[in-house]
Amino acid sequence: MRRFSKKRGFTMHLLSRFRSALLASVSLPLLAVPVCVFAGTAAAAADASTAVDAGEATKKDEKAKLQEAAADGDAVEEMVVTARRRSETLFNVPASVSAISGDALRDAGISDMKDVIALIPNAVIPTNPDNSNTYVNIRGIRQADLYAEPNFGLYRNGIFYGGSRSNLGSQVDVERIEVLRGPQGGLYGRNALGGAINVIYATPTDEFGGYARASYGRYDRTELEGAINAPVNSKFSTRMAGWWFNQEKGEYYNETLHQEIDKGYDKGLRFSAKAQATEDLSILWVAEYQKTEGPALRAYAPNGVLNDVALGTNRSDPESYRTIHQDTPSRATSETYYVSQNIAYETDIGLFNLLASYKDYDHHSIQDADYTDFAPTTLGALQRVMKGSESTNDFYVEGLWTSKEDMPLTWIAGVSYFDETFDYSRVYDTTLNIAPFPGAPAGYSVVSGSAGLPLPGTSIKTKSISTFAELTYHFTDDLSVFGGLRWTQDKKTLNFAQGIIPGSDPAVNGYLAALFGSAAPSYKLHDAPKFHFLAPSTGINYKATENVNLYALYSTGFRAGSFNASTSDPAFVPYGQESAKNYEVGVKTQWLDGKLGLNLAAFIMDQKDLVVQFDDPNDNTYGYYYLGNAGDARTYGVEFEGFARIAPWLTGAASVGYLHDRFTKGLQYPGTSYEFDLTGTKIPYTRDWTMNVRLDAKYPVSDKLTLVGSAAVREEIGGILDPSLQTPYENLTKIDLTGGVVINGSTRLTAFVNNLLDDRIVEFEYYAGPVSTSYGRTFGVQVSHDF
C-alpha cells in the first residue's frame, strides 16, 4: 500500500489575515504564562502519575500557593504536573512540556486525541484512514507504518500503555494530559523517541461528586459521558466513569451499498478504587472496558480507480466522498480490556511504587481491497476483500524508588519489564475473471482463492527489560544539575508465514500462485533478534529570578527494530532500530504577578537509521512496500507557548512551532532503478509550522449567570508526504468556536462549530488512486452539569 498527498491551496486572504493576527498577538506584551496551551484556570493536578499518595502533601502545598497567588490580582492558576515522574509546577520543569486540563477539554467538547495533539506545537496526528492505530508526529519523528514500532511513549497515570497497538479511543474523565516533546529515553524508556504522552485520568478522592455531559451534533452524532466519585469511608474511595458516543451518518457515503462509511460508536466503562491501607501505604486499582466500531477504509477516488495495473481494468468515473462505489462494507471493530495497580509505600528513605498493568486488545476489520464495485463476471476485473485480524496481550510491571525532596541530592530509580504477544493476519479473498488471459486453466472463467499477507498464526513476541536512574544535585535553591542513564534490551521473536491458502482445486491453486507469486510468494520465517540501547541524559537548571527559569539539556531515545507485515523476499521482513539525540535550551518566564508569561525552547536533534517506506522491487503491480532503515537526519526547531489573563474574565493563549528537518544521508529504494538519494530532502509527514491562537471568556452577568465562549485557530503549514516524489503536505486552517452560558456555576449550555471554514486536506493516497481526507465542518449543542 502506498500513501501520499497532493498539494491544495486555500484562501490567501484568510492566511494573510491569520498570520497578521498571530504576529500581532505574539508581539503584544500580554502573552504568556508557562502554562499549557489553553489550560485556562484549570485546577492543580490530582494524583501524581507515579505516586498515588506519594507527593500528595507536596502537591497540596503547591496547589495552595498557586491558589493564593491566583486570588491575588487574578493570576492564572498553574498546574502541577508529573512530567519528571515527580510532582512539580509546570513552570519548574526544565523541559518542553505542554499540559492540558481535563476541565478545559470537557468544556470544549474535546475527547479525540487528534484534537488534543492539535493544541501542541510541533506535533501532528494525521487522520487514521483504517481505524487501526494512532499516529503521532512529534518534532518530525513519526511512525512510518501500521506495523512499525510506535515513535512515542504512551502512559496512563504513569504506567506504560504502549506496545504494538496504541489505538487511542475517546478520552473521558481526564484530569489532565501531559505531552513531553523530544526524546525521553531516560525516564520513559522504550518508544519514547519523539516524546511521551501521559494521560492522567481522574482517580478517587474523599469527596462525593461527579459530572454528566451530553451533546448532539451534525451527522446525528450523540455523545453521553459522566463520572461519579463515591467515598465509602475515610480509607476507601471509588470512582466510576462511562461513555457512549454514537454517530449514524458522516461525510463519506457508499452509493453501491447505501452505507454511511463514517457511522460508528465508542463506548466504555472505567472503575477505579483507592485504598489508604495505612498512613504510609496506599493502593490504586483501575479496570476499564472499551469497544469501538468505525470505518476500516475511509477513502474515495477523485480521479477514478486503477483496478489493477497488470490487468488494465480501470474505473473511469471519478468519485466524491458522497459517491463512493465499493461492493464490500468498510467496518472495523476493536475491544479492549485493561486493568492496572499502583502500590505506593512511603518510608524514611523515600517513596516506593510498584506499578503493574495488563491489556487485552482485539481488532477485526473488513474492507474493499480493489476499491470498486466491479462484478466478478467483469472481464479482467480483480475483486479483492481484505479481512484483518489483530490481538495483543500486554503485561507491564515497574518498580520505582523516589527520594525525598528535602536533600541536596535527589533521585528516582527503577526497573521495568514488558511482555507482549502480538498476533496478526491479513487475508485477501480474491475473485478474478480469467477468460481473456493466456495461460488460464481450460474450462475456467471465474476463479476464486485466498492469500495470507501474512497468514493466520503469524505473531511477534516482545520481552523488554530496562533499568534506569536519574540524579539531581541542588547546589542552591536556584541552581541544580541532573543526569540519568537507562539501559534497555528488547528481544523479539517472530513466527511468520505468508502465501496462497490452498483451495480444493489444484488447477486454480497453481494458476493463482503463478499469477501472484512474484509479489506474494509463499514462505515461512523465524527470527529472534535482540536490540540494546543505553540512553544517557543530562542538564542544568537555573532560576535567574523568581520569575525566570532557564535550562539546558541533552537527551536520547530509541525504538527497537521490528518486522514487516508482508514482503516479496524474506530478507525484507526485519528492519533495525532507530535512535535520536537531542540538544535543547529553554527559558520560562512569568510577569505581572502571574498574569502573563512565556515559554521558549530551541533544539537540535540528530536521528540515526530512520525507518521509511521502500517500494518492493519484485512488485510492479500492487504497490506493495516494506519498511527499512534509510539513513540519518538532523532537525532543528523553535517552540513558543504563551498565556495571558487579559481581563478578569478573559484569557488568551498562543503557541508556535517551527521545524527544519532534513536527511543528512540515506538512500530510498537502494539497488533498484528507482534508487533515490535522500540527502537534503525533508522527513515525511512533518510540518514546517504549527500555530495556535485561542481566547476563552467567562463573563459573569449575575451571581447565577455567566456568559462563556471560546475561539481557536489552528494553522499547519508546509511539509511533504513522500521524499522521492516530494509530494507536498497540504496546508490546513481550522477554526473552532463555542458560546453559551453557565447557570448557578454548575450547569453549562453551549453551542459549537468545529472547522468553521470546512477546510479538508488529503492526508493519505492509496496506490490505486483513492484518497483519505481530514474531517470537515461539524456543529452541535452541548449540556453538562457538575455535582
Side-chain angles (χ1 to χ4, degrees):
M1 189 184 304
R2 188 126 157 97
R3 300 172 176 171
F4 56 91
S5 293
K6 300 175 181 176
K7 188 173 184 179
R8 181 181 60 84
F10 63 90
T11 307
M12 296 304 297
H13 176 63
L14 175 65
L15 177 59
S16 176
R17 292 184 61 184
F18 174 79
R19 287 175 173 168
S20 299
L22 179 63
L23 292 173
S25 65
V26 171
S27 65
L28 288 174
L30 290 176
L31 265 186
V33 148
V35 203
C36 63
V37 180
F38 100 100
T41 57
D47 294 336
S49 62
T50 57
V52 178
D53 274 324
E56 281 297 324
T58 301
K59 285 190 294 178
K60 289 179 179 178
D61 290 343
E62 294 279 11
K63 182 174 180 178
K65 293 177 183 178
L66 292 168
Q67 289 175 333
E68 182 180 351
D72 182 15
D74 292 320
V76 175
E77 186 180 334
E78 191 187 352
M79 280 193 285
V80 175
V81 297
T82 51
R84 293 199 297 171
R85 311 195 75 173
R86 62 171 74 233
S87 298
E88 54 192 335
T89 64
L90 196 58
F91 175 76
N92 288 328
V93 179
S96 296
V97 184
S98 298
I100 303 100
S101 77
D103 288 341
L105 294 175
R106 193 163 66 246
D107 289 347
I110 293 176
S111 59
D112 191 322
M113 186 58 77
K114 179 179 176 67
D115 293 326
V116 175
I117 296 301
L119 303 168
I120 310 300
N122 284 334
V124 178
I125 293 186
T127 299
N128 182 0
D130 51 20
N131 205 30
S132 59
N133 209 3
T134 301
Y135 301 88
V136 182
N137 183 321
I138 304 177
R139 288 187 173 178
I141 298 180
R142 68 186 185 99
Q143 183 172 347
D145 177 74
L146 175 63
Y147 292 98
E149 279 281 324
N151 59 297
F152 65 99
L154 178 61
Y155 284 73
R156 292 180 52 140
N157 291 68
I159 302 175
F160 182 68
Y161 189 73
S164 297
R165 284 294 171 264
S166 302
N167 200 2
L168 297 172
S170 300
Q171 302 303 303
V172 174
D173 198 27
V174 173
E175 184 66 40
R176 71 186 182 278
I177 297 176
E178 300 176 8
V179 180
L180 293 85
R181 302 186 296 277
Q184 305 293 328
L187 285 178
Y188 288 90
R190 71 184 319 270
N191 294 339
L193 187 67
I197 299 174
N198 190 10
V199 182
I200 295 93
Y201 296 99
T203 54
T205 67
D206 56 5
E207 296 182 1
F208 179 83
Y211 76 92
R213 183 183 75 87
S215 71
Y216 180 79
R218 191 180 187 186
Y219 304 125
D220 287 343
R221 181 173 179 85
T222 303
E223 296 188 2
L224 302 174
E225 68 167 282
I228 183 168
N229 192 89
V232 177
N233 54 44
S234 60
K235 300 291 186 179
F236 190 79
S237 301
T238 64
R239 188 177 184 92
M240 177 73 79
W243 63 96
W244 180 74
F245 297 170
N246 186 73
Q247 183 168 311
E248 293 296 325
K249 300 178 182 179
E251 295 176 341
Y252 281 41
Y253 183 74
N254 186 329
E255 280 193 330
T256 300
L257 299 178
H258 308 291
Q259 177 196 49
E260 292 283 357
I261 294 176
D262 289 320
K263 179 179 179 179
Y265 62 80
D266 185 333
K267 58 185 179 181
L269 287 171
R270 183 187 309 124
F271 175 78
S272 55
K274 180 179 176 181
Q276 191 69 45
T278 69
E279 183 179 352
D280 300 320
L281 176 65
S282 65
I283 307 173
L284 174 67
W285 298 276
V286 176
E288 181 179 288
Y289 170 78
Q290 183 179 33
K291 186 173 184 179
T292 70
E293 181 178 316
L297 175 66
R298 188 178 184 273
Y300 72 98
N303 299 309
V305 174
L306 180 65
N307 183 256
D308 219 280
V309 178
L311 305 179
T313 304
N314 297 276
R315 181 179 190 88
S316 59
D317 53 317
E319 298 175 338
S320 72
Y321 54 85
R322 296 298 295 175
T323 59
I324 297 169
H325 298 101
Q326 298 172 6
D327 55 10
T328 301
S330 170
R331 304 313 295 160
T333 61
S334 69
E335 195 169 27
T336 306
Y337 297 87
Y338 174 80
V339 293
S340 68
Q341 177 177 271
N342 186 339
I343 302 174
Y345 184 56
E346 185 75 50
T347 72
D348 293 337
I349 59 172
L351 168 74
F352 291 88
N353 285 91
L354 180 62
L355 313 175
S357 68
Y358 174 77
K359 178 176 67 173
D360 185 299
Y361 171 81
D362 289 287
H363 182 273
H364 302 281
S365 63
I366 181 171
Q367 67 182 57
D368 195 321
D370 61 87
Y371 317 113
T372 72
D373 60 357
F374 285 138
T377 56
T378 304
L379 291 180
L382 178 67
Q383 281 285 301
R384 290 191 296 173
V385 176
M386 194 278 281
K387 299 175 181 177
S389 179
E390 299 178 354
S391 68
T392 64
N393 291 278
D394 297 351
F395 172 71
Y396 180 77
V397 62
E398 182 176 34
L400 294 175
W401 177 22
T402 307
S403 70
K404 290 183 174 293
E405 293 291 313
D406 56 351
M407 303 183 297
L409 180 65
T410 59
W411 64 85
I412 180 170
V415 60
S416 69
Y417 173 74
F418 175 68
D419 188 298
E420 177 183 78
T421 299
F422 177 36
D423 298 302
Y424 61 101
S425 66
R426 295 186 302 182
V427 174
Y428 289 82
D429 294 335
T430 303
T431 301
L432 175 66
N433 186 325
I434 62 173
F437 298 108
Y444 292 85
S445 58
V446 177
V447 298
S448 297
S450 297
L453 303 173
L455 288 163
T458 297
S459 68
I460 300 173
K461 297 182 184 294
T462 301
K463 296 182 184 297
S464 177
I465 59 174
S466 73
T467 183
F468 75 94
E470 181 174 279
L471 285 74
T472 301
Y473 187 78
H474 304 267
F475 293 98
T476 68
D477 290 341
D478 300 323
L479 178 64
S480 62
V481 294
F482 54 90
L485 190 66
R486 178 187 286 263
W487 174 81
T488 302
Q489 174 185 280
D490 274 22
K491 179 180 179 180
K492 292 178 174 265
T493 303
L494 172 71
N495 289 296
F496 181 91
Q498 75 168 35
I500 302 298
I501 300 175
S504 58
D505 190 326
V508 173
N509 294 338
Y511 181 74
L512 292 177
L515 185 64
F516 302 115
S518 62
S522 297
Y523 64 83
K524 295 181 179 180
L525 178 66
H526 176 81
D527 198 4
K530 287 184 179 180
F531 304 96
H532 303 85
F533 192 75
L534 197 62
S537 60
T538 188
I540 184 170
N541 184 201
Y542 176 58
K543 290 186 178 178
T545 71
E546 184 180 358
N547 297 312
V548 178
N549 190 12
L550 305 169
Y551 70 87
L553 62 84
Y554 166 77
S555 62
T556 57
F558 100 112
R559 56 178 162 187
S562 193
F563 307 99
N564 285 282
S566 63
T567 68
S568 66
D569 189 324
F572 298 154
V573 173
Y575 61 88
Q577 70 184 35
E578 181 179 342
S579 61
K581 299 178 180 179
N582 181 58
Y583 308 85
E584 182 173 334
V585 294
V587 57
K588 301 182 178 185
T589 62
Q590 293 179 335
W591 308 94
L592 300 179
D593 298 322
K595 292 182 182 178
L596 52 96
L598 171 68
N599 289 353
L600 189 63
F603 62 90
I604 297 175
M605 183 167 60
D606 290 321
Q607 295 174 249
K608 184 176 178 60
D609 299 322
L610 270 74
V611 175
V612 300
Q613 293 179 3
F614 292 80
D615 283 338
D616 195 317
N618 299 317
D619 168 51
N620 295 314
T621 302
Y622 307 107
Y624 292 150
Y625 63 81
Y626 67 96
L627 300 179
N629 301 92
D632 303 339
R634 166 164 286 191
T635 300
Y636 60 81
V638 179
E639 294 163 350
F640 160 86
E641 288 181 286
F643 193 94
R645 182 168 294 282
I646 302 169
W649 53 272
L650 180 64
T651 57
S655 70
V656 179
Y658 169 73
L659 289 176
H660 181 277
D661 53 294
R662 295 292 187 275
F663 280 93
T664 54
K665 68 175 184 179
L667 293 175
Q668 195 172 21
Y669 323 130
T672 72
S673 59
Y674 304 104
E675 181 173 292
F676 179 76
D677 187 357
L678 292 169
T679 305
T681 64
K682 295 175 61 61
I683 299 174
Y685 287 92
T686 299
R687 290 297 196 183
D688 296 336
W689 293 90
T690 56
M691 297 177 281
N692 294 282
V693 173
R694 184 178 182 93
L695 292 174
D696 287 278
K698 294 183 179 180
Y699 186 81
V701 177
S702 66
D703 292 340
K704 295 184 177 182
L705 184 67
T706 301
L707 301 179
V708 295
S710 66
V713 182
R714 166 77 170 185
E715 183 81 18
E716 298 178 5
I717 298 174
I720 63 168
L721 291 162
D722 186 280
S724 59
L725 299 177
Q726 290 293 293
T727 313
Y729 199 165
E730 297 179 337
N731 297 336
L732 173 69
T733 300
K734 186 171 182 285
I735 300 176
D736 300 334
L737 304 172
T738 64
V741 297
V742 174
I743 303 170
N744 292 325
S746 59
T747 302
R748 184 183 181 97
L749 302 171
T750 56
F752 64 87
V753 57
N754 295 325
N755 197 358
L756 176 68
L757 303 180
D758 201 27
D759 193 18
R760 296 184 182 93
I761 64 170
V762 174
E763 294 185 306
F764 291 87
E765 184 171 59
Y766 292 85
Y767 181 80
V771 301
S772 181
T773 63
S774 59
Y775 287 93
R777 182 190 302 116
T778 58
F779 47 82
V781 294
Q782 174 178 285
V783 58
S784 63
H785 179 73
D786 296 335
F787 58 90

